[in-house]
Amino acid sequence: ELSDLFSVICIDLADASNTNLNAASSAYIFMARLDRWAELLRRRRDGGMSLQERLGLLGELMLIKTIIDKGGTGPGQLIRGWRGPDGDATDIAVNGLRLEVKAQLATASPRLRISSLDQLDSPEDSLLVVWHRFSRADRGLSLGTLVDAIGNELASSHRDQIEFQRKLLLSGFDHDADYVDDPFSL
């Protein structure tokens, strides 16, 4: 039942360690990435994503789906530009535009929290901050519906599908978790 996860981890480790010129750098990257996967799997075992992490992922996926629907940027290019899961300070960077996505419950104090100045610092790109405020709902958007919809947009490219699954896993997303179908309204 974990063969898909194992495949994604293997591809990620091979791709990450193949980007450097010398063996020592490749080994360092391999071990750092393997440690990150181990931490994610531990978190998954210990209860998974917090509500704030789920809202953040919901906001990023909602923006990705909106951009795909508007056209102009291919789904594969957009998934490759989704950089937050890889630990980048920028959530999404594509076509010379950086998108920083913030999400919170509508009942929370309406304050935008920037966790690092690196999120706002980029002299060469334009920056947009997208702020989503969600409410729990009986019907509406869920992580599961957004993941399925974006996955369908990537159906023509196996490589893009693998990259999407890799980034979902790095985000802490678990397809089998109880929260997958929790609906929210924007």
Side-chain angles (χ1 to χ4, degrees):
E1 81 187 43
L2 296 176
S3 64
D4 288 346
L5 173 60
F6 182 73
S7 297
V8 170
I9 292 172
C10 288
I11 290 169
D12 181 55
L13 292 172
D15 285 350
S17 61
N18 192 30
T19 59
N20 278 299
L21 299 176
N22 65 50
S25 294
S26 292
Y28 176 79
I29 289 172
F30 181 90
M31 293 307 297
R33 193 65 70 98
L34 186 59
D35 284 345
R36 186 161 183 211
W37 278 113
E39 177 59 30
L40 284 167
L41 292 173
R42 256 189 304 281
R43 276 186 47 211
R44 182 177 179 175
R45 181 194 67 211
D46 295 340
M49 299 176 79
S50 69
L51 175 60
Q52 189 55 46
E53 290 170 325
R54 293 191 319 256
L55 289 173
L57 181 57
L58 185 69
E60 290 175 12
L61 294 178
M62 192 172 115
L63 181 60
I64 288 169
K65 180 66 172 116
T66 300
I67 294 170
I68 289 171
D69 290 346
K70 298 280 184 196
T73 301
Q77 179 186 5
L78 196 51
I79 293 305
R80 287 186 298 278
W82 180 27
R83 296 164 38 173
D86 286 319
D88 197 298
T90 298
D91 291 323
I92 300 169
V94 66
N95 298 333
L97 182 64
R98 291 181 48 238
L99 302 163
E100 182 59 35
V101 182
K102 299 296 178 185
Q104 67 180 170
L105 286 175
T107 56
S109 174
R111 291 192 176 163
L112 192 60
R113 181 170 164 25
I114 305 297
S115 57
S116 165
L117 287 178
D118 291 341
Q119 293 179 314
L120 302 178
D121 185 32
S122 179
E124 69 277 356
D125 290 338
S126 296
L127 171 70
L128 291 177
V129 177
V130 179
W131 189 9
H132 298 294
R133 293 178 48 94
F134 294 106
S135 297
R136 295 181 186 267
D138 293 330
R139 291 182 297 138
L141 294 169
S142 72
L143 284 170
T145 57
L146 284 170
V147 166
D148 290 346
I150 293 169
N152 289 336
E153 295 288 341
L154 299 168
S156 64
S157 171
H158 182 69
R159 186 94 174 136
D160 291 340
Q161 288 176 337
I162 292 289
E163 180 67 0
F164 182 51
Q165 291 305 314
R166 182 185 75 81
K167 288 184 177 183
L168 286 172
L169 291 169
L170 284 173
S171 296
F173 180 75
D174 178 357
H175 291 276
D176 299 321
D178 294 338
Y179 60 74
V180 169
D181 296 318
D182 290 350
F184 291 89
S185 62
L186 180 63

